[in-house]
Amino acid sequence: MKNNLSLLLCLFVFSAFAQTKTINKDWTAYSQYIDVSMYEETEFKVSAYLRKTDDGTKGKSALWVRVDKKDKTYGFFRNDAYDKSKVVTKDWKKFEISGKVDKGASNLYFGAFCQGNGDYYYDNFEVKLKMKNGKWKTLDISNHSFEKTHSEDTWDEGIRKSNIVRAKNFTIQYSKDAPFKGKYSLQLTGKNIIGNSKNGKFVDVNNVKLYYETYGEGTPLLFLHGNGQSMSAFINQVELFSKHYKVILVDCRGRGNSSFDYSTELTYTLEANDISLFLDKIGIKKAHVVGWSDGGIIGLIMAMKFPEKVDKLVAIGANINPQGLKDLDNMFSTIKELEKTNKNNSNDLFISLYKLMAYYPKLDYDDLKVIKSKTLIMAGDHDEIKNIHTIKMYEAIKDAQLAILPNETHYFPEENPEFFNQLLMKFLKK
């Protein structure tokens, strides 16, 4: 019988955290939402003015917009942080996201997004809808230029109206520091975030440069991040695990500080080959591998293709084919929208990343039977991956362990890091 790393009732309290939680994060968002349920299939524009300090950091700043549906799923989504045509500089510049309100829409979320170290400024937000007569209507939004105090508006940190997660590494204020208009603008400041360490290095593999950082000494422990993340996704794991292991963090191709090869199709097998060669280059023969989301897929493929390099394996919120995703249809819709609006190839990286999730990996459950590494399959019960898919993955791997966590999402390692770290440490030490 398999050994399940199950969640006991007495531990449930750790998972079901309060409505507001403060943790270390490599990014934050500051947002609000408006009811758009009466504007189905109406075109919209969200705009604001942005700037950032020119201090040499590689932090990212952007607008983001999302349509939430009445059935609790998401519709339109766009975050311009990785759009190479929309780079925020030290000078104020207007940025805009346009789209169409989905059928069955409830709310339109919009706001500021930033990632990494730096000072980021935002001002003069606008939301417009195109009426049936062809004219654009400007909607009333709360404190659009931050001239009022926070207590007078509906802006808040995070990307949800419930379970608000505040970032320890960021401060938020309405600042007098050279606003675009009026006396104030929104200022978000990120400090002490991994991913831009002075000790960071690059290695050349498969026509790309991969950026990495290491912390601590001992048995190698490799963390692999998800699709839209970078190594800084593990900001809540480094301090603890570097006391027991040699923690290795790497930005996968096209993410973080690593480069991208637009001439080669992005697949998980390619990325697994990247990581295998990366370990060779830095002199690591074997490591525990902890992969989150896409990183979990890469870890599974590594355990299949390069079993001699994978000691223990942890795959969190991973899938082995696109049918394991809950919202595959919206992913195809997003790809079409990105291709339609791909001016000057500005969406090329986004398109590659979305196609990676929509078309890959192409594995069957039986393929996992070759895995010999001690394996822990983890997911939240509100994950982006179907629970039955996660369970079948676990069943296919001999002597694997399974942890499906109550009241947790795809972002369990970030949203409830203390409990995640406890489970991970228990598995690695056993």
Side-chain angles (χ1 to χ4, degrees):
M1 181 177 293
K2 290 193 175 185
N3 177 20
N4 289 356
L5 186 59
S6 57
L7 187 62
L8 302 177
L9 181 61
C10 63
L11 294 178
F12 182 82
V13 65
F14 289 98
S15 181
F17 56 80
Q19 289 292 306
T20 301
K21 187 176 181 67
T22 302
I23 59 174
N24 289 315
K25 292 172 62 179
D26 70 319
W27 65 274
T28 195
Y30 198 64
S31 57
Q32 62 171 292
Y33 66 94
I34 52 178
D35 185 345
V36 291
S37 57
M38 69 291 291
Y39 296 115
E40 292 183 5
E41 298 190 288
T42 300
E43 292 181 45
F44 67 81
K45 294 179 182 178
V46 176
S47 64
Y49 286 82
L50 279 67
R51 72 178 180 92
K52 69 183 290 286
T53 51
D54 187 14
D55 56 1
T57 63
K58 297 181 180 179
K60 291 179 170 57
S61 176
L63 286 181
W64 76 278
V65 177
R66 187 186 72 223
V67 175
D68 287 12
K69 296 183 177 182
K70 296 171 186 175
D71 63 2
K72 308 301 182 183
T73 63
Y74 300 143
F76 177 93
F77 173 77
R78 182 68 183 262
N79 182 333
D80 282 341
Y82 287 89
D83 186 335
K84 62 184 180 182
S85 72
K86 296 186 176 182
V87 177
V88 178
T89 67
K90 63 184 179 64
D91 299 315
W92 285 110
K93 182 180 177 182
K94 186 177 181 179
F95 292 83
E96 181 178 281
I97 293 177
S98 59
K100 183 178 289 187
V101 177
D102 298 84
K103 288 184 178 180
S106 57
N107 297 315
L108 177 74
Y109 272 81
F110 62 93
F113 171 89
C114 64
Q115 184 176 33
N117 300 302
D119 292 299
Y120 311 94
Y121 299 86
Y122 310 80
D123 208 351
N124 204 38
F125 277 82
E126 278 192 339
V127 178
K128 293 184 177 182
L129 293 174
K130 190 174 184 179
M131 299 293 98
K132 292 181 179 180
N133 61 8
K135 295 183 178 180
W136 288 91
K137 175 184 177 180
T138 301
L139 301 185
D140 290 330
I141 61 175
S142 179
N143 201 9
H144 77 285
S145 59
F146 307 99
E147 298 302 305
K148 299 178 181 178
T149 64
H150 174 62
S151 62
E152 297 176 281
D153 66 32
T154 59
W155 291 94
D156 211 341
E157 188 173 4
I159 59 173
R160 301 183 183 94
K161 60 183 177 182
S162 61
N163 286 340
I164 295 172
V165 179
R166 305 197 187 281
K168 288 182 182 178
N169 300 73
F170 289 86
T171 57
I172 300 174
Q173 62 178 320
Y174 296 175
S175 170
K176 290 185 177 180
D177 185 8
F180 170 74
K181 186 177 181 181
K183 296 182 179 180
Y184 295 90
S185 66
L186 169 65
Q187 179 182 349
L188 307 180
T189 301
K191 294 182 178 179
N192 302 317
I193 297 170
I194 60 174
N196 286 289
S197 169
K198 293 180 180 179
N199 298 320
K201 298 178 181 179
F202 288 89
V203 294
D204 294 317
V205 300
N206 280 342
N207 297 318
V208 295
K209 290 182 178 294
L210 297 185
Y211 176 82
Y212 74 100
E213 297 177 6
T214 61
Y215 298 85
E217 299 293 337
T219 301
L221 175 58
L222 173 66
F223 284 95
L224 299 174
H225 63 77
N227 187 288
Q229 298 175 322
S230 66
M231 68 169 65
S232 54
F234 296 105
I235 193 171
N236 291 287
Q237 282 70 54
V238 171
E239 182 178 0
L240 172 62
F241 288 94
S242 62
K243 295 176 182 177
H244 304 270
Y245 300 94
K246 181 177 182 177
V247 171
I248 304 168
L249 303 168
V250 58
D251 287 335
C252 293
R253 58 170 62 205
R255 271 63 59 86
N257 297 319
S258 294
S259 65
F260 192 66
D261 177 11
Y262 288 96
S263 66
T264 303
E265 183 185 17
L266 183 63
T267 69
Y268 293 109
T269 299
L270 174 65
E271 292 192 85
N273 289 335
D274 286 349
I275 300 303
S276 177
L277 291 171
F278 161 71
L279 292 176
D280 291 341
K281 286 287 184 77
I282 66 172
I284 301 297
K285 294 183 178 179
K286 193 171 190 177
H288 298 315
V289 177
V290 178
W292 178 5
S293 193
D294 280 27
I297 299 171
I298 295 169
L300 290 164
I301 294 174
M302 285 188 64
M304 296 164 60
K305 290 192 62 178
F306 312 107
E308 73 284 358
K309 294 183 177 180
V310 180
D311 195 343
K312 291 186 177 180
L313 171 65
V314 181
I316 310 133
N319 59 294
I320 61 166
N321 54 61
Q323 285 66 44
L325 301 173
K326 287 182 178 178
D327 208 11
L328 186 57
D329 288 341
N330 275 336
M331 199 164 291
F332 286 117
S333 297
T334 301
I335 292 171
K336 288 182 180 179
E337 181 66 25
L338 288 170
E339 290 177 334
K340 181 180 177 181
T341 59
N342 192 21
K343 298 178 180 178
N344 301 316
N345 302 109
S346 60
N347 293 341
D348 282 358
L349 177 57
F350 265 133
I351 292 169
S352 293
L353 293 174
Y354 271 98
K355 283 187 174 180
L356 175 67
M357 294 186 289
Y359 296 107
Y360 296 98
K362 297 180 179 181
L363 300 173
D364 296 320
Y365 297 113
D366 284 347
D367 294 330
L368 302 179
K369 291 181 178 180
V370 302
I371 294 177
K372 303 300 181 184
S373 302
K374 283 191 174 181
T375 301
L376 170 60
I377 301 295
M378 299 180 74
D381 66 345
H382 298 298
D383 210 291
E384 303 301 318
I385 309 302
K386 297 173 183 176
N387 286 339
I388 189 63
H389 187 86
T390 300
I391 292 169
K392 287 183 177 180
M393 288 168 54
Y394 146 74
E395 290 176 336
I397 302 172
K398 184 178 180 180
D399 296 327
Q401 298 182 39
L402 174 68
I404 295 183
L405 292 311
N407 201 39
E408 297 294 353
T409 74
H410 192 65
Y411 303 96
F412 170 46
E414 174 187 277
E415 294 177 334
N416 200 352
E418 295 87 357
F419 189 40
F420 170 77
N421 291 348
Q422 178 186 357
L423 292 176
L424 179 57
M425 186 68 78
K426 181 178 179 180
F427 174 73
L428 293 176
K429 291 294 186 181
K430 184 176 288 188

